[in-house]
Amino acid sequence: MAALPPLNALRAFEAAARRGSFAAAAGELNVTPAAIGQQVRQLEALIGSALFEREGRTLRLTERGGAALDRLSRAFELMGEASAAMRESKRAARIILAAPPDLSSLWLAPRLGARAFACGLELITNDPLAALDMGADLAIVRSAGAPAGRDAQLLLRETLSPLAAPALARQIRTPGDLETLPLIADTSAPLGWTDWLARRGAYGIVPEPGFIADRAGPALALAASGAGIVLGRKLLAANAVSDGRLVSVFADGDMPGGESYWLAFARGRRRSEAASVLAAWIRAEMASFTDAADEL
């Protein structure tokens, strides 16, 4: 049996070919476009042939790439079915939920801990869509659009807002005050301080974050410690806001975040009653957050 190329490289190619760009594939697989490009180049080097013709930001499959795509997509579907079959004996005992790491730790896990389920729950935080393809019952996905190739329901459109520890927030009256106070950048969000200031018409202010974090968790923790003001994902900051560690800096400071949360299921797979109960609970929890935010 011939040696297979690395699975990550095959998956990166399949996603990029199906979605038509490295950026779209990166959003689906929850990695960076650079990582997708690196995996594709590794695969091309291994097979000794180009898989894409690159024209600027446009990708076009070569003849060899096109010949492989359908078979590779079906192969991942078969792996998902095989994984589901291997897990079948555990289905009656547990549900498998996949979700992004920051959502899992900051928002989901604290709520799941107070929830009694009739069966056990396995929480997977590495690449929710891949976990769904490999047999997870359902996944919460954060992306700009609905996940392709899955049955998906919109849960929540993400909102960003300036947040700070109460003592620091009391020092701020106008966006102009942000020039003299420390800022925190969360680079995992598609929009940042420059976008927020532009929406406020504060074009003369050039944000210079003193702290930069590549995940929401560290960025919010820095803000809660008093280190600076973060343009934070409000859903992920919900617990810190509810217990008073963070407050909104401006009453009208909310801005659409450019991404949404989706509840995704593998297309064509039968959904268990337990998975349906969990899905209903997730929808209700997201809806209750939206209702609470509307009242503020």
Side-chain angles (χ1 to χ4, degrees):
M1 180 177 179
L4 289 173
L7 186 60
N8 284 343
L10 291 172
R11 183 158 184 79
F13 162 69
E14 191 273 340
R18 178 167 38 80
R19 299 297 295 273
S21 76
F22 288 172
E28 177 176 321
L29 300 181
N30 199 29
V31 297
T32 65
I36 295 292
Q38 182 179 7
Q39 294 286 355
V40 170
R41 287 191 295 273
Q42 178 187 4
L43 183 58
E44 289 175 327
L46 285 170
I47 66 173
S49 178
L51 295 169
F52 293 106
E53 294 176 354
R54 299 164 176 83
E55 298 178 1
R57 295 186 177 182
T58 301
L59 294 180
R60 183 176 292 107
L61 282 167
T62 63
E63 183 177 352
R64 182 168 293 191
L69 176 59
D70 288 344
R71 296 173 185 173
L72 195 54
S73 295
R74 179 55 184 158
F76 279 114
E77 291 178 6
L78 287 171
M79 283 191 287
E81 293 171 7
S83 178
M86 287 187 289
R87 294 179 183 273
E88 195 63 37
S89 62
K90 297 182 180 180
R91 289 286 172 151
R94 67 175 58 184
I95 316 169
I96 304 171
L97 168 64
D102 51 9
L103 178 74
S104 297
S105 60
L106 296 172
W107 187 83
L108 187 58
R111 287 161 176 77
L112 284 170
R115 169 74 180 178
F117 290 100
C119 59
L121 178 68
E122 180 177 346
L123 182 59
I124 298 175
T125 63
N126 184 27
D127 195 345
L129 285 177
L132 190 66
D133 292 341
M134 297 299 286
D137 293 278
L138 63 162
I140 302 175
V141 180
R142 184 174 59 219
S143 60
R150 285 88 173 174
D151 293 329
Q153 303 165 2
L154 178 64
L155 291 171
L156 178 75
R157 299 193 187 280
E158 188 165 61
T159 301
L160 304 178
S161 189
L163 304 168
L168 184 56
R170 287 192 289 270
Q171 302 178 38
I172 306 168
R173 294 291 181 269
T174 70
D177 295 331
L178 299 177
E179 277 193 302
T180 60
L181 293 170
L183 300 181
I184 300 167
D186 172 10
T187 59
S188 71
L191 301 178
W193 279 113
T194 299
D195 304 285
W196 186 88
L197 289 164
R199 288 178 65 92
R200 302 295 292 251
Y203 296 102
I205 300 176
V206 179
E208 295 184 4
F211 294 94
I212 298 175
D214 65 354
R215 293 289 180 186
L220 292 169
L222 281 165
S225 75
I229 306 129
V230 65
L231 186 62
R233 300 178 187 264
K234 287 191 73 175
L235 178 69
L236 304 188
N239 287 348
V241 171
S242 66
D243 64 22
R245 288 180 290 126
L246 288 175
V247 297
S248 294
V249 174
F250 301 103
D252 59 348
D254 288 2
M255 176 181 80
E259 294 181 316
S260 299
Y261 290 95
W262 304 82
L263 188 60
F265 305 88
R267 187 165 289 171
R269 188 189 305 161
R270 185 178 64 84
R271 199 175 309 165
S272 70
E273 181 179 351
S276 296
V277 170
L278 177 58
W281 176 81
I282 291 171
R283 287 192 294 267
E285 286 294 306
M286 286 279 186
S288 67
F289 172 79
T290 303
D291 294 341
D294 290 342
E295 294 173 2
L296 297 179

Short mmCIF file of all heavy atoms in Angstrom, two decimals, residues 213-277:
data_model
loop_
_atom_site.label_atom_id
_atom_site.label_comp_id
_atom_site.label_asym_id
_atom_site.label_seq_id
_atom_site.Cartn_x
_atom_site.Cartn_y
_atom_site.Cartn_z
N ALA A 213 -2.94 40.00 21.72
CA ALA A 213 -3.18 38.59 22.01
C ALA A 213 -3.83 37.95 20.79
O ALA A 213 -4.61 38.59 20.09
CB ALA A 213 -4.09 38.43 23.23
N ASP A 214 -3.49 36.68 20.53
CA ASP A 214 -4.04 36.01 19.36
C ASP A 214 -5.26 35.17 19.68
O ASP A 214 -5.76 34.45 18.83
CB ASP A 214 -2.97 35.15 18.68
CG ASP A 214 -2.49 33.99 19.53
OD1 ASP A 214 -2.90 33.91 20.71
OD2 ASP A 214 -1.70 33.16 19.04
N ARG A 215 -5.75 35.28 20.91
CA ARG A 215 -6.97 34.59 21.32
C ARG A 215 -7.79 35.51 22.21
O ARG A 215 -7.24 36.38 22.91
CB ARG A 215 -6.65 33.30 22.08
CG ARG A 215 -6.00 32.22 21.24
CD ARG A 215 -6.96 31.60 20.25
NE ARG A 215 -6.34 30.56 19.43
CZ ARG A 215 -6.94 29.96 18.42
NH1 ARG A 215 -8.19 30.28 18.12
NH2 ARG A 215 -6.32 29.04 17.72
N ALA A 216 -9.10 35.28 22.23
CA ALA A 216 -9.98 36.12 23.03
C ALA A 216 -9.73 35.96 24.52
O ALA A 216 -9.80 36.94 25.27
CB ALA A 216 -11.44 35.81 22.71
N GLY A 217 -9.46 34.73 24.97
CA GLY A 217 -9.29 34.49 26.40
C GLY A 217 -8.21 35.34 27.03
O GLY A 217 -8.47 36.07 28.00
N PRO A 218 -6.97 35.31 26.52
CA PRO A 218 -5.93 36.17 27.10
C PRO A 218 -6.23 37.65 26.97
O PRO A 218 -5.92 38.44 27.87
CB PRO A 218 -4.68 35.78 26.30
CG PRO A 218 -4.96 34.41 25.80
CD PRO A 218 -6.43 34.36 25.55
N ALA A 219 -6.84 38.06 25.85
CA ALA A 219 -7.16 39.47 25.66
C ALA A 219 -8.15 39.95 26.72
O ALA A 219 -7.98 41.03 27.32
CB ALA A 219 -7.72 39.70 24.26
N LEU A 220 -9.18 39.15 26.98
CA LEU A 220 -10.17 39.52 27.98
C LEU A 220 -9.58 39.47 29.39
O LEU A 220 -9.91 40.31 30.23
CB LEU A 220 -11.39 38.60 27.88
CG LEU A 220 -12.23 38.76 26.60
CD1 LEU A 220 -13.25 37.63 26.49
CD2 LEU A 220 -12.93 40.12 26.56
N ALA A 221 -8.71 38.50 29.65
CA ALA A 221 -8.08 38.41 30.97
C ALA A 221 -7.19 39.62 31.23
O ALA A 221 -7.15 40.14 32.35
CB ALA A 221 -7.26 37.12 31.06
N LEU A 222 -6.47 40.06 30.21
CA LEU A 222 -5.65 41.27 30.36
C LEU A 222 -6.52 42.46 30.71
O LEU A 222 -6.19 43.26 31.60
CB LEU A 222 -4.87 41.53 29.07
CG LEU A 222 -3.62 40.69 28.83
CD1 LEU A 222 -3.18 40.80 27.37
CD2 LEU A 222 -2.49 41.13 29.76
N ALA A 223 -7.64 42.61 30.00
CA ALA A 223 -8.53 43.74 30.27
C ALA A 223 -9.10 43.66 31.68
O ALA A 223 -9.17 44.67 32.40
CB ALA A 223 -9.65 43.78 29.24
N ALA A 224 -9.51 42.48 32.10
CA ALA A 224 -10.08 42.32 33.44
C ALA A 224 -9.06 42.63 34.53
O ALA A 224 -9.43 43.07 35.63
CB ALA A 224 -10.63 40.90 33.61
N SER A 225 -7.78 42.43 34.24
CA SER A 225 -6.73 42.73 35.22
C SER A 225 -6.43 44.22 35.32
O SER A 225 -5.66 44.63 36.19
CB SER A 225 -5.44 41.98 34.84
OG SER A 225 -4.80 42.60 33.73
N GLY A 226 -7.02 45.01 34.41
CA GLY A 226 -6.76 46.44 34.42
C GLY A 226 -5.64 46.87 33.50
O GLY A 226 -5.23 48.03 33.51
N ALA A 227 -5.14 45.94 32.65
CA ALA A 227 -4.00 46.26 31.79
C ALA A 227 -4.37 47.18 30.64
O ALA A 227 -3.49 47.83 30.08
CB ALA A 227 -3.39 44.96 31.24
N GLY A 228 -5.64 47.26 30.27
CA GLY A 228 -6.02 48.11 29.15
C GLY A 228 -7.46 47.88 28.73
O GLY A 228 -8.21 47.17 29.40
N ILE A 229 -7.81 48.51 27.62
CA ILE A 229 -9.17 48.43 27.07
C ILE A 229 -9.13 47.47 25.88
O ILE A 229 -8.29 47.62 24.99
CB ILE A 229 -9.68 49.80 26.61
CG1 ILE A 229 -9.55 50.82 27.75
CG2 ILE A 229 -11.11 49.72 26.11
CD1 ILE A 229 -8.86 52.08 27.34
N VAL A 230 -10.01 46.50 25.85
CA VAL A 230 -10.04 45.53 24.77
C VAL A 230 -11.29 45.73 23.93
O VAL A 230 -12.36 46.07 24.46
CB VAL A 230 -10.00 44.08 25.31
CG1 VAL A 230 -11.26 43.74 26.12
CG2 VAL A 230 -9.80 43.08 24.18
N LEU A 231 -11.15 45.60 22.61
CA LEU A 231 -12.32 45.52 21.75
C LEU A 231 -12.72 44.06 21.74
O LEU A 231 -12.20 43.26 20.97
CB LEU A 231 -11.98 46.02 20.34
CG LEU A 231 -13.17 46.14 19.38
CD1 LEU A 231 -14.19 47.15 19.88
CD2 LEU A 231 -12.69 46.51 17.98
N GLY A 232 -13.60 43.71 22.66
CA GLY A 232 -13.83 42.31 22.98
C GLY A 232 -15.07 41.72 22.33
O GLY A 232 -16.02 42.43 22.00
N ARG A 233 -15.03 40.41 22.16
CA ARG A 233 -16.19 39.66 21.70
C ARG A 233 -17.18 39.59 22.87
O ARG A 233 -16.89 38.95 23.89
CB ARG A 233 -15.78 38.25 21.26
CG ARG A 233 -14.76 38.20 20.12
CD ARG A 233 -14.40 36.74 19.83
NE ARG A 233 -13.32 36.58 18.88
CZ ARG A 233 -13.47 36.36 17.57
NH1 ARG A 233 -14.69 36.34 17.07
NH2 ARG A 233 -12.43 36.20 16.77
N LYS A 234 -18.35 40.21 22.74
CA LYS A 234 -19.25 40.36 23.88
C LYS A 234 -19.76 39.02 24.39
O LYS A 234 -19.93 38.85 25.60
CB LYS A 234 -20.43 41.27 23.51
CG LYS A 234 -20.05 42.73 23.40
CD LYS A 234 -21.27 43.63 23.30
CE LYS A 234 -21.99 43.74 24.63
NZ LYS A 234 -23.12 44.70 24.57
N LEU A 235 -20.03 38.08 23.51
CA LEU A 235 -20.51 36.78 23.97
C LEU A 235 -19.47 36.12 24.87
O LEU A 235 -19.81 35.60 25.94
CB LEU A 235 -20.81 35.87 22.78
CG LEU A 235 -21.28 34.46 23.14
CD1 LEU A 235 -22.67 34.50 23.76
CD2 LEU A 235 -21.26 33.55 21.92
N LEU A 236 -18.21 36.17 24.47
CA LEU A 236 -17.16 35.51 25.25
C LEU A 236 -16.86 36.27 26.53
O LEU A 236 -16.31 35.70 27.48
CB LEU A 236 -15.90 35.37 24.40
CG LEU A 236 -16.06 34.63 23.08
CD1 LEU A 236 -14.71 34.39 22.43
CD2 LEU A 236 -16.78 33.30 23.28
N ALA A 237 -17.19 37.55 26.58
CA ALA A 237 -16.97 38.35 27.78
C ALA A 237 -18.16 38.31 28.74
O ALA A 237 -18.12 38.96 29.80
CB ALA A 237 -16.68 39.80 27.40
N ALA A 238 -19.20 37.56 28.40
CA ALA A 238 -20.45 37.61 29.16
C ALA A 238 -20.25 37.30 30.64
O ALA A 238 -20.80 38.00 31.51
CB ALA A 238 -21.47 36.64 28.55
N ASN A 239 -19.46 36.29 30.98
CA ASN A 239 -19.26 35.94 32.38
C ASN A 239 -18.49 37.03 33.12
O ASN A 239 -18.82 37.37 34.26
CB ASN A 239 -18.52 34.61 32.50
CG ASN A 239 -19.41 33.43 32.16
OD1 ASN A 239 -20.62 33.56 32.05
ND2 ASN A 239 -18.81 32.27 31.96
N ALA A 240 -17.45 37.58 32.48
CA ALA A 240 -16.67 38.64 33.11
C ALA A 240 -17.50 39.90 33.32
O ALA A 240 -17.33 40.62 34.32
CB ALA A 240 -15.43 38.96 32.27
N VAL A 241 -18.43 40.17 32.41
CA VAL A 241 -19.32 41.32 32.56
C VAL A 241 -20.34 41.06 33.66
O VAL A 241 -20.61 41.93 34.49
CB VAL A 241 -20.02 41.64 31.22
CG1 VAL A 241 -21.11 42.68 31.41
CG2 VAL A 241 -19.00 42.13 30.19
N SER A 242 -20.89 39.86 33.69
CA SER A 242 -21.93 39.57 34.68
C SER A 242 -21.40 39.59 36.10
O SER A 242 -22.13 39.95 37.04
CB SER A 242 -22.59 38.22 34.39
OG SER A 242 -21.66 37.15 34.57
N ASP A 243 -20.13 39.23 36.30
CA ASP A 243 -19.60 39.27 37.66
C ASP A 243 -18.82 40.55 37.98
O ASP A 243 -18.18 40.66 39.02
CB ASP A 243 -18.73 38.03 37.94
CG ASP A 243 -17.48 37.94 37.08
OD1 ASP A 243 -17.02 38.97 36.56
OD2 ASP A 243 -16.96 36.82 36.92
N GLY A 244 -18.88 41.53 37.05
CA GLY A 244 -18.33 42.85 37.33
C GLY A 244 -16.85 43.03 37.05
O GLY A 244 -16.31 44.11 37.30
N ARG A 245 -16.18 42.03 36.49
CA ARG A 245 -14.75 42.19 36.21
C ARG A 245 -14.51 43.07 34.99
O ARG A 245 -13.48 43.73 34.86
CB ARG A 245 -14.10 40.82 36.00
CG ARG A 245 -13.95 40.02 37.29
CD ARG A 245 -13.31 38.67 37.04
NE ARG A 245 -14.20 37.77 36.31
CZ ARG A 245 -13.87 37.15 35.19
NH1 ARG A 245 -12.68 37.33 34.65
NH2 ARG A 245 -14.74 36.33 34.60
N LEU A 246 -15.49 43.09 34.07
CA LEU A 246 -15.42 43.95 32.89
C LEU A 246 -16.72 44.73 32.76
O LEU A 246 -17.79 44.24 33.13
CB LEU A 246 -15.20 43.13 31.62
CG LEU A 246 -13.82 42.50 31.40
CD1 LEU A 246 -13.83 41.62 30.16
CD2 LEU A 246 -12.74 43.57 31.27
N VAL A 247 -16.62 45.95 32.22
CA VAL A 247 -17.81 46.75 31.93
C VAL A 247 -17.66 47.35 30.54
O VAL A 247 -16.55 47.50 30.02
CB VAL A 247 -18.01 47.88 32.97
CG1 VAL A 247 -18.24 47.32 34.35
CG2 VAL A 247 -16.82 48.83 32.96
N SER A 248 -18.79 47.70 29.93
CA SER A 248 -18.76 48.39 28.65
C SER A 248 -18.26 49.81 28.85
O SER A 248 -18.73 50.53 29.74
CB SER A 248 -20.16 48.40 28.02
OG SER A 248 -20.56 47.09 27.69
N VAL A 249 -17.33 50.22 28.02
CA VAL A 249 -16.74 51.55 28.15
C VAL A 249 -17.69 52.62 27.63
O VAL A 249 -17.80 53.70 28.20
CB VAL A 249 -15.40 51.60 27.39
CG1 VAL A 249 -14.84 53.01 27.39
CG2 VAL A 249 -14.39 50.64 28.03
N PHE A 250 -18.40 52.33 26.52
CA PHE A 250 -19.33 53.28 25.93
C PHE A 250 -20.70 52.61 25.83
O PHE A 250 -20.81 51.47 25.37
CB PHE A 250 -18.88 53.71 24.54
CG PHE A 250 -17.52 54.36 24.51
CD1 PHE A 250 -16.42 53.65 24.07
CD2 PHE A 250 -17.35 55.66 24.94
CE1 PHE A 250 -15.16 54.23 24.03
CE2 PHE A 250 -16.10 56.25 24.92
CZ PHE A 250 -14.99 55.54 24.47
N ALA A 251 -21.75 53.34 26.20
CA ALA A 251 -23.10 52.79 26.15
C ALA A 251 -23.49 52.43 24.72
O ALA A 251 -24.28 51.51 24.50
CB ALA A 251 -24.10 53.78 26.74
N ASP A 252 -22.95 53.16 23.75
CA ASP A 252 -23.29 52.92 22.34
C ASP A 252 -22.08 52.38 21.58
O ASP A 252 -21.91 52.64 20.40
CB ASP A 252 -23.78 54.21 21.67
CG ASP A 252 -22.74 55.33 21.74
OD1 ASP A 252 -21.75 55.18 22.49
OD2 ASP A 252 -22.91 56.34 21.03
N GLY A 253 -21.25 51.62 22.25
CA GLY A 253 -19.98 51.20 21.66
C GLY A 253 -20.02 49.91 20.86
O GLY A 253 -18.99 49.49 20.32
N ASP A 254 -21.18 49.25 20.77
CA ASP A 254 -21.23 47.96 20.07
C ASP A 254 -21.00 48.12 18.57
O ASP A 254 -21.41 49.12 17.96
CB ASP A 254 -22.58 47.28 20.28
CG ASP A 254 -22.75 46.76 21.69
OD1 ASP A 254 -21.83 46.96 22.51
OD2 ASP A 254 -23.81 46.18 21.99
N MET A 255 -20.36 47.11 17.98
CA MET A 255 -20.09 47.09 16.54
C MET A 255 -20.25 45.65 16.05
O MET A 255 -19.80 44.72 16.72
CB MET A 255 -18.66 47.58 16.27
CG MET A 255 -18.24 47.50 14.82
SD MET A 255 -16.52 48.06 14.55
CE MET A 255 -15.62 46.57 15.07
N PRO A 256 -20.89 45.44 14.89
CA PRO A 256 -20.95 44.08 14.34
C PRO A 256 -19.54 43.52 14.18
O PRO A 256 -18.63 44.20 13.70
CB PRO A 256 -21.63 44.28 12.98
CG PRO A 256 -22.42 45.54 13.13
CD PRO A 256 -21.61 46.43 14.04
N GLY A 257 -19.36 42.26 14.57
CA GLY A 257 -18.03 41.68 14.60
C GLY A 257 -17.57 41.05 13.30
O GLY A 257 -16.42 40.64 13.18
N GLY A 258 -18.45 40.92 12.32
CA GLY A 258 -18.05 40.35 11.04
C GLY A 258 -18.16 38.84 10.97
O GLY A 258 -17.93 38.24 9.92
N GLU A 259 -18.49 38.19 12.09
CA GLU A 259 -18.66 36.74 12.11
C GLU A 259 -19.94 36.39 12.87
O GLU A 259 -20.48 37.23 13.61
CB GLU A 259 -17.46 36.05 12.77
CG GLU A 259 -16.17 36.19 11.99
CD GLU A 259 -15.01 35.48 12.66
OE1 GLU A 259 -14.85 35.61 13.89
OE2 GLU A 259 -14.24 34.81 11.95
N SER A 260 -20.38 35.17 12.69
CA SER A 260 -21.58 34.69 13.38
C SER A 260 -21.31 33.30 13.93
O SER A 260 -20.38 32.61 13.51
CB SER A 260 -22.78 34.64 12.43
OG SER A 260 -23.10 35.93 11.93
N TYR A 261 -22.15 32.90 14.89
CA TYR A 261 -22.09 31.54 15.43
C TYR A 261 -23.19 30.72 14.78
O TYR A 261 -24.34 31.16 14.67
CB TYR A 261 -22.25 31.56 16.95
CG TYR A 261 -21.06 32.15 17.66
CD1 TYR A 261 -21.05 33.49 18.03
CD2 TYR A 261 -19.95 31.37 17.95
CE1 TYR A 261 -19.94 34.05 18.67
CE2 TYR A 261 -18.84 31.90 18.60
CZ TYR A 261 -18.85 33.25 18.95
OH TYR A 261 -17.75 33.78 19.57
N TRP A 262 -22.81 29.52 14.35
CA TRP A 262 -23.73 28.62 13.66
C TRP A 262 -23.75 27.27 14.37
O TRP A 262 -22.71 26.81 14.85
CB TRP A 262 -23.30 28.39 12.21
CG TRP A 262 -23.14 29.65 11.42
CD1 TRP A 262 -22.06 30.49 11.40
CD2 TRP A 262 -24.10 30.22 10.52
NE1 TRP A 262 -22.28 31.54 10.55
CE2 TRP A 262 -23.53 31.42 10.00
CE3 TRP A 262 -25.38 29.85 10.11
CZ2 TRP A 262 -24.19 32.21 9.09
CZ3 TRP A 262 -26.04 30.65 9.20
CH2 TRP A 262 -25.46 31.81 8.69
N LEU A 263 -24.92 26.66 14.43
CA LEU A 263 -25.04 25.30 14.93
C LEU A 263 -25.07 24.40 13.71
O LEU A 263 -25.96 24.52 12.86
CB LEU A 263 -26.32 25.15 15.76
CG LEU A 263 -26.50 23.83 16.52
CD1 LEU A 263 -25.36 23.62 17.51
CD2 LEU A 263 -27.85 23.82 17.24
N ALA A 264 -24.08 23.51 13.60
CA ALA A 264 -23.92 22.71 12.38
C ALA A 264 -24.06 21.23 12.67
O ALA A 264 -23.67 20.74 13.74
CB ALA A 264 -22.55 22.99 11.75
N PHE A 265 -24.63 20.52 11.69
CA PHE A 265 -24.81 19.07 11.76
C PHE A 265 -24.29 18.46 10.47
O PHE A 265 -24.31 19.10 9.41
CB PHE A 265 -26.30 18.71 11.92
CG PHE A 265 -26.98 19.36 13.09
CD1 PHE A 265 -27.58 20.60 12.95
CD2 PHE A 265 -27.01 18.74 14.32
CE1 PHE A 265 -28.21 21.21 14.02
CE2 PHE A 265 -27.65 19.34 15.40
CZ PHE A 265 -28.24 20.58 15.25
N ALA A 266 -23.83 17.24 10.54
CA ALA A 266 -23.40 16.54 9.33
C ALA A 266 -24.62 16.26 8.47
O ALA A 266 -25.64 15.75 8.95
CB ALA A 266 -22.69 15.24 9.70
N ARG A 267 -24.53 16.62 7.21
CA ARG A 267 -25.67 16.47 6.31
C ARG A 267 -25.94 14.99 6.04
O ARG A 267 -25.02 14.21 5.76
CB ARG A 267 -25.37 17.20 4.99
CG ARG A 267 -26.53 17.27 4.02
CD ARG A 267 -26.26 18.29 2.95
NE ARG A 267 -26.33 19.66 3.49
CZ ARG A 267 -25.97 20.73 2.80
NH1 ARG A 267 -25.48 20.62 1.58
NH2 ARG A 267 -26.09 21.93 3.34
N GLY A 268 -27.20 14.61 6.19
CA GLY A 268 -27.60 13.24 5.88
C GLY A 268 -27.46 12.25 7.03
O GLY A 268 -27.87 11.10 6.90
N ARG A 269 -26.87 12.68 8.16
CA ARG A 269 -26.71 11.76 9.29
C ARG A 269 -27.90 11.87 10.23
O ARG A 269 -28.35 12.97 10.55
CB ARG A 269 -25.42 12.08 10.05
CG ARG A 269 -25.09 11.05 11.12
CD ARG A 269 -23.93 11.52 12.00
NE ARG A 269 -22.76 11.85 11.21
CZ ARG A 269 -21.76 12.61 11.65
NH1 ARG A 269 -21.82 13.13 12.86
NH2 ARG A 269 -20.73 12.87 10.88
N ARG A 270 -28.40 10.74 10.68
CA ARG A 270 -29.54 10.75 11.59
C ARG A 270 -29.13 11.36 12.93
O ARG A 270 -28.09 11.03 13.48
CB ARG A 270 -30.06 9.32 11.81
CG ARG A 270 -31.33 9.26 12.66
CD ARG A 270 -31.79 7.82 12.78
NE ARG A 270 -30.83 7.00 13.49
CZ ARG A 270 -30.77 6.92 14.83
NH1 ARG A 270 -31.61 7.62 15.58
NH2 ARG A 270 -29.88 6.14 15.40
N ARG A 271 -29.97 12.25 13.44
CA ARG A 271 -29.68 12.94 14.70
C ARG A 271 -30.37 12.22 15.85
O ARG A 271 -31.56 11.94 15.80
CB ARG A 271 -30.18 14.39 14.61
CG ARG A 271 -29.57 15.34 15.61
CD ARG A 271 -30.06 16.75 15.32
NE ARG A 271 -29.88 17.09 13.92
CZ ARG A 271 -30.48 18.12 13.33
NH1 ARG A 271 -31.29 18.89 14.02
NH2 ARG A 271 -30.27 18.37 12.05
N SER A 272 -29.61 11.91 16.89
CA SER A 272 -30.18 11.23 18.04
C SER A 272 -31.07 12.17 18.85
O SER A 272 -30.94 13.41 18.75
CB SER A 272 -29.07 10.68 18.94
OG SER A 272 -28.38 11.74 19.59
N GLU A 273 -31.94 11.60 19.65
CA GLU A 273 -32.80 12.42 20.50
C GLU A 273 -31.98 13.25 21.48
O GLU A 273 -32.27 14.43 21.72
CB GLU A 273 -33.78 11.54 21.27
CG GLU A 273 -34.74 12.33 22.17
CD GLU A 273 -35.72 11.43 22.90
OE1 GLU A 273 -35.78 10.23 22.60
OE2 GLU A 273 -36.43 11.95 23.79
N ALA A 274 -30.90 12.65 22.03
CA ALA A 274 -30.05 13.37 22.97
C ALA A 274 -29.37 14.55 22.30
O ALA A 274 -29.25 15.64 22.89
CB ALA A 274 -29.00 12.42 23.56
N ALA A 275 -28.91 14.37 21.05
CA ALA A 275 -28.28 15.48 20.33
C ALA A 275 -29.29 16.58 20.04
O ALA A 275 -28.95 17.77 20.09
CB ALA A 275 -27.66 14.96 19.03
N SER A 276 -30.52 16.21 19.75
CA SER A 276 -31.57 17.21 19.50
C SER A 276 -31.86 18.02 20.77
O SER A 276 -32.09 19.23 20.70
CB SER A 276 -32.85 16.54 19.00
OG SER A 276 -32.62 15.91 17.75
N VAL A 277 -31.86 17.35 21.93
CA VAL A 277 -32.07 18.05 23.20
C VAL A 277 -30.93 19.04 23.46
O VAL A 277 -31.16 20.18 23.87
CB VAL A 277 -32.18 17.03 24.36
CG1 VAL A 277 -32.15 17.75 25.71
CG2 VAL A 277 -33.47 16.22 24.22
#
